Amino acid sequence: MVTAAGLATRFEFPQLFDGYQRRRLGSLDFAWAFEDFREHCRRAIDVNDAQTVCDVGGGWRPLFSLADVHDLGIDYTVLDVSRHSLERTPPEYRTVCADICDPPRELDAAFDLVFSMFVAEHVRDGAAMHRSIFEMLRPGGVAVHVFPTLYHPAFVANKLLPEQLTQGLVRRLVHHSDKFPARYSWCFGPTRSMHRRLRAIGYEVLEFRPFYGTYYLDRVPVLRAVEDGFSRWAARRRMPYLTSFARLELRKPAS
């Protein structure tokens, strides 16, 4: 567990999307996928009395600061496949360098809560990721994920276009230099097929919340207006195949 000695290192999760104007989609607005995630995970810790927590893909910037970890009194592990990302993680955090699709067996039944933020779209095999996390959870443990979804046009384009081209577009549209290969394995909204797949692994699906809209076109007003209209149309109909992001909360049965 991170101790009070490590509190001098401040490594807060940034409010990356404060500059984007919220769409008028209420609780279905894409902004909630970003703005509410840390608080949602905090609530999951409280409600489930989680003591051991794993932050998957948090190497470049853990979701919870050292002060948060200390205040919550949790045993916090950052797991990331990238050694380069983990080199940027303050040394006070416990870290594991591993592929979430094939984590070390010593992590089996090690955690009360496992969460990931924008990791699922990058893994090579979504089924393997969810099975591995199922094994990492203790009986009654909970997993929470937020991720972009197909078949929103922005993410279909990201999947199909050459990586070199999409890297340039990300830098131009959102001024973000970190861009990882996007595969979108098992990255869909709350479709019946996704519910069946997750239950087949053994999970209870506690929440599968859809979101609509994106921030990518905020700097292109004409296209932004078109996307806003498309997003409102899809949100009114709760169309599971046209979500832009989703938040998924799963439980491993207690017995």
Side-chain angles (χ1 to χ4, degrees):
M1 182 170 67
V2 178
T3 65
L7 296 184
T9 303
R10 302 295 299 174
F11 205 54
E12 296 289 347
F13 186 77
Q15 298 301 313
L16 292 177
F17 305 97
D18 281 349
Y20 297 102
Q21 184 176 357
R22 183 186 296 271
R23 310 292 193 264
R24 293 186 295 274
L25 297 178
S27 63
L28 299 179
D29 193 280
F30 78 92
W32 286 110
F34 305 94
E35 295 176 5
D36 187 51
F37 188 69
R38 180 162 56 181
E39 286 308 307
H40 186 87
C41 289
R42 189 190 296 271
R43 290 192 294 271
I45 291 169
D46 292 340
V47 169
N48 297 284
D49 193 25
Q51 301 297 311
T52 52
V53 176
C54 184
D55 180 345
V56 177
W60 74 290
R61 188 174 279 112
L63 184 66
F64 287 103
S65 71
L66 293 169
D68 290 331
V69 172
H70 180 259
D71 291 344
L72 290 166
I74 55 177
D75 189 335
Y76 193 81
T77 299
V78 177
L79 183 149
D80 203 299
V81 71
S82 169
R83 290 191 182 277
H84 175 68
S85 293
L86 290 172
E87 288 171 358
R88 300 160 63 181
T89 309
E92 292 86 354
Y93 286 93
R94 174 183 297 153
T95 60
V96 175
C97 187
D99 184 344
I100 190 56
C101 293
D102 187 24
R105 295 278 64 90
E106 56 262 32
L107 296 183
D108 284 0
F111 300 104
D112 300 314
L113 173 67
V114 177
F115 66 79
S116 72
M117 186 175 191
F118 307 123
V119 172
E121 69 271 26
H122 301 297
V123 303
R124 55 185 169 78
D125 186 339
M129 182 194 86
H130 287 293
R131 284 195 297 265
S132 294
I133 292 174
F134 187 87
E135 296 301 323
M136 290 166 61
L137 289 170
R138 293 173 176 168
V142 170
V144 184
H145 310 286
V146 66
F147 49 90
T149 58
L150 299 175
Y151 293 96
H152 188 280
F155 301 124
V156 171
N158 192 31
K159 179 178 174 64
L160 297 178
L161 291 174
E163 190 68 25
Q164 186 175 1
L165 175 60
T166 56
Q167 283 179 346
L169 287 172
V170 166
R171 293 191 187 98
R172 177 178 292 273
L173 293 175
V174 297
H175 298 292
H176 196 320
S177 60
D178 289 301
K179 173 72 168 64
F180 302 99
R183 301 180 175 93
Y184 297 99
S185 178
W186 279 39
C187 286
F188 299 96
T191 64
R192 292 181 180 177
S193 175
M194 279 296 296
H195 278 273
R196 285 196 301 268
R197 291 177 182 182
L198 294 163
R199 288 176 178 140
I201 291 173
Y203 285 113
E204 300 171 10
V205 180
L206 303 181
E207 179 190 55
F208 206 151
R209 180 174 172 178
F211 299 100
Y212 297 86
T214 72
Y215 52 89
Y216 292 115
L217 298 175
D218 274 32
R219 298 177 185 276
V220 189
V222 174
L223 294 180
R224 182 183 64 197
V226 172
E227 188 195 38
D228 282 352
F230 169 82
S231 298
R232 287 193 295 271
W233 177 81
R236 281 197 300 270
R237 292 161 177 79
R238 299 290 183 99
M239 299 186 74
Y241 284 103
L242 293 178
T243 57
S244 54
F245 299 93
R247 188 173 71 208
L248 180 61
E249 184 168 352
L250 307 166
R251 174 176 286 138
K252 181 176 183 175
S255 60

